Amino acid sequence: MKSNYKYYNPVVINFGTGIRKKLLEYIDGRKCLIVCSKRGREQFTNDSILSLIAKDTNNIWIDNVKESPTINDIQDQIKKIRNYSFDVVIAFGGGSVIDSGKAISVSKNIKTEAISIIDIIENPKQLSSVKVIPLFALPTTSGTGAEMTPFATFWDQENKKKYSLDHYALFPSASFIDPDLTLNLPKDITLSTGLDAINQACESIWNVNASEYTLNIAYRSLELGIKSLPLIINHNNNEAREGLAECSMLAGIAISQTRTAMCHSISYPLTSHFNVPHGIACAFTMREILKINIKNDDGRFNLLAKRLMGDSKSSEDLASFFEDFFVNLEILNVFKSYINDIDLLKGLKGEMFTEARAKNSLVKITMDDMDSILENSLSR
């Protein structure tokens, strides 16, 4: 692990049940652009606290954000907001909504009239000189950690391609992580987003960019996620949603420093080609990627085992521990309901393997490893 490292995450964290009330203090009479989905607008408007903001007719809305927004969706939103004036952006929703809010907040004050989101993605350094509109993020899912990261993801559905925007300007000004906002989240979305958070915590652990600081954050994230997600899915325990919300927040903090690795790289074509929910797609190869990285254990995996299972356990117990966790949640069965053909999976190897993600792993993963990773993940 790196002994020398830097840490930068300027997001002001507001966490806890009912904490969304704090948003009223941050707004303080300023004009808001509220970014959400159709369902999100209904939830926002009917919320006992946020309805006070919704009732202000000076505020404006973009309420048509879709899951996995496309480049064209974002471009349309950027074009639309050029005609409006507002002081802050409120992103209310899951990762797709928060990512859309980020794109709007950083592009509003770019002087070029014909600004293109592709141009921003290809030349993010231009954001360094742009006055960013303050973004306040209110996640309604527990998974992406987007409220804590400088990343945004957009899709080109026609070409089955994912685009990533990565710049410090994308950090929200403040985030309000209120578990109450996730109480009515359907189980399938809870499962997928929860697995995304768990995977992000794991990928920040078996990561060459990890530091002692990020490892401790990720360990705590996993402790919370591993405990909370089964309680929600199998036992309808809504009290556990606070733990899952914190898991997601902490995982977001961890990957904001380390970035993600191979599980995420493999997941994107699974989502774009077969519509596998993102968290399910990430979890699919986790055990196999763990088994590869654990070969280069510098002590972090032994510590993880003890944090998750007790002092008598070691890194040798981790693969079976995660396998039991996934079996309990029937993850492989969910995955196979979308795709259960090894030849189709192998046909996407070229899209799954990206050098930028592969080099983040503790053990260098190559294209030659992909067949066994996919075969063992599908057959376990």
Side-chain angles (χ1 to χ4, degrees):
M1 143 192 9
K2 292 184 176 180
S3 56
N4 297 323
Y5 64 91
K6 67 176 182 179
Y7 175 88
Y8 179 72
N9 191 313
V11 183
V12 178
I13 298 172
N14 297 271
F15 180 89
T17 299
I19 202 67
R20 64 194 184 281
K21 188 174 183 179
K22 282 282 186 181
L23 177 62
L24 302 174
E25 299 176 16
Y26 280 73
I27 292 173
D28 193 25
R30 290 184 286 181
K31 185 175 182 179
C32 306
L33 170 67
I34 305 167
V35 181
C36 57
S37 65
K38 293 292 185 186
R39 176 181 174 275
R41 180 165 184 167
E42 182 179 354
Q43 182 181 359
F44 194 103
T45 301
N46 293 329
D47 186 85
S48 60
I49 296 171
L50 301 177
S51 60
L52 297 174
I53 301 172
K55 291 175 182 176
D56 188 337
T57 56
N58 288 319
N59 294 331
I60 52 180
W61 298 78
I62 288 181
D63 62 358
N64 61 347
V65 178
K66 306 171 187 174
E67 185 177 355
S68 302
T70 67
I71 290 294
N72 290 336
D73 292 333
I74 298 301
Q75 192 63 49
D76 288 345
Q77 291 167 6
I78 290 174
K79 182 178 180 181
K80 181 178 180 180
I81 57 96
R82 301 289 279 189
N83 300 320
Y84 295 115
S85 63
F86 48 90
D87 303 309
V88 301
V89 177
I90 298 173
F92 180 82
S96 295
V97 167
I98 296 174
D99 286 355
S100 297
K102 289 177 178 181
I104 291 169
S105 72
V106 300
S107 63
K108 170 63 176 168
N109 288 329
I110 293 178
K111 299 304 180 184
T112 306
E113 285 297 322
I115 186 63
S116 162
I117 186 63
I118 293 293
D119 178 58
I120 298 175
I121 290 170
E122 292 178 348
N123 182 27
K125 289 184 179 179
Q126 65 183 293
L127 298 178
S128 299
S129 59
V130 173
K131 182 181 179 182
V132 175
I133 303 292
L135 172 66
F136 300 141
L138 285 81
T140 60
T141 65
S142 297
T144 69
E147 71 274 10
M148 298 306 305
T149 71
F151 319 130
T153 297
F154 311 112
W155 297 84
D156 178 348
Q157 296 293 0
E158 183 177 342
N159 297 302
K160 306 298 183 183
K161 185 176 181 181
K162 179 193 73 75
Y163 289 90
S164 293
L165 181 56
D166 180 350
H167 192 275
Y168 283 170
L170 273 71
F171 275 118
S173 296
S175 291
F176 304 80
I177 302 99
D178 190 332
D180 276 356
L181 296 177
T182 69
L183 289 178
N184 295 319
L185 199 65
K187 278 191 176 182
D188 58 339
I189 300 177
T190 299
L191 178 62
S192 178
T193 53
L195 289 171
D196 187 17
I198 286 169
N199 179 252
Q200 288 180 160
C202 285
E203 289 210 296
S204 68
I205 290 172
W206 56 66
N207 197 304
V208 295
N209 300 308
S211 66
E212 188 172 336
Y213 187 81
T214 61
L215 284 174
N216 281 316
I217 293 172
Y219 292 151
R220 181 56 182 160
S221 174
L222 275 179
E223 287 176 333
L224 291 165
I226 293 291
K227 178 182 178 181
S228 301
L229 188 57
L231 288 174
I232 299 168
I233 300 301
N234 295 331
H235 303 288
N236 298 309
N237 185 337
N238 273 332
E239 292 181 3
R241 288 190 180 273
E242 182 169 330
L244 192 60
E246 189 173 1
C247 161
S248 176
M249 179 191 73
L250 293 174
I253 294 173
I255 65 160
S256 76
Q257 308 303 306
T258 65
R259 277 51 179 174
T260 54
M262 275 306 295
C263 291
H264 268 69
S265 180
I266 292 170
S267 78
Y268 296 125
L270 294 173
T271 298
S272 62
H273 287 273
F274 302 114
N275 297 314
V276 182
H278 176 62
I280 301 293
C282 288
F284 171 58
T285 56
M286 261 184 63
R287 190 190 68 162
E288 294 307 311
I289 299 296
L290 164 66
K291 288 164 64 176
I292 292 173
N293 281 288
I294 212 166
K295 297 173 183 176
N296 195 22
D297 186 15
D298 56 4
R300 70 184 72 184
F301 289 103
N302 261 321
L303 182 54
L304 175 62
K306 296 181 188 308
R307 292 281 294 260
L308 295 180
M309 295 178 281
D311 290 341
S312 64
K313 300 298 182 178
S314 70
S315 59
E316 296 177 355
D317 301 301
L318 281 173
S320 60
F321 174 82
F322 277 103
E323 180 64 15
D324 290 344
F325 177 76
F326 291 140
V327 168
N328 179 35
L329 294 174
E330 300 184 345
I331 304 306
L332 188 57
N333 290 338
V334 176
F335 180 87
K336 287 182 176 180
S337 70
Y338 291 89
I339 171 66
N340 189 20
D341 187 319
I342 189 61
D343 292 327
L344 289 177
L345 290 174
K346 288 181 178 179
L348 293 176
K349 286 187 301 182
E351 294 180 44
M352 292 176 174
F353 184 86
T354 56
E355 187 65 34
R357 292 291 187 267
K359 70 180 183 181
N360 286 344
S361 297
L362 288 177
V363 174
K364 183 172 176 58
I365 295 173
T366 69
M367 182 65 83
D368 294 337
D369 298 315
M370 293 299 295
D371 281 348
S372 61
I373 289 172
L374 295 173
E375 288 170 358
N376 292 338
S377 296
L378 192 65
S379 64
R380 66 180 189 266

